[in-house]
Amino acid sequence: LEARDQLTIALAVEPANVAQLPGLGAAVELACFRIAQEALTNAARHSRAKQVHVALRAGPAQLLCEIRDDGCGFDPAAVADGHGLTGMRDRAALLGGEVEVAAAPGRGCRVTVRLPLSPVSGSR
């Protein structure tokens, strides 16, 4: 994101004490980072959002990351191969995870990422 992007980003992490987060593993950490990076970049470049909320929750079996913006939204079916959506989905799928995109014109966008803490065997 660049300084010209007047975007407020709020972050919530559970558990709040980062030391209590389970060891995620390098592949899960990188996938979560890159997917969140792409979602934030999309919000800054395309959505005209003013606020983005990022929530990260680690449970016993999965990592959940949600990136939600208050931007102009879009029709996900109309840009199925655009906005980096395919790359985000592919990156999650390599680890046995998934990415769900909920958006509609005029209603912002929510990207929900679910990654298993024990990636499927054979994943990179």
Side-chain angles (χ1 to χ4, degrees):
L1 302 178
E2 297 179 15
R4 66 179 165 73
D5 299 317
Q6 298 299 312
L7 195 58
T8 301
I9 300 173
L11 175 65
V13 178
E14 290 181 32
N17 181 352
V18 176
Q20 293 177 340
L21 285 171
L24 302 177
V28 171
E29 288 176 5
L30 181 61
C32 183
F33 172 77
R34 292 294 186 202
I35 293 167
Q37 180 182 40
E38 181 67 29
L40 289 167
T41 299
N42 287 344
R45 285 186 183 161
H46 305 291
S47 78
R48 299 186 301 272
K50 296 296 180 200
Q51 294 186 335
V52 178
H53 297 274
V54 179
L56 187 64
R57 291 181 209 82
Q62 77 173 354
L63 180 68
L64 177 71
C65 182
E66 182 178 273
I67 303 99
R68 183 173 35 92
D69 71 52
D70 66 351
C72 63
F74 64 97
D75 177 1
V79 293
D81 292 329
H83 293 74
L85 299 178
T86 300
M88 289 190 283
R89 289 183 175 122
D90 289 349
R91 189 178 290 274
L94 283 172
L95 299 175
E98 63 182 4
V99 172
E100 176 185 326
V101 177
R107 305 193 92 191
C109 178
R110 184 181 69 238
V111 176
T112 304
V113 183
R114 291 178 185 83
L115 298 171
L117 293 182
S118 298
V120 294
S121 59
S123 64
R124 298 178 222 172

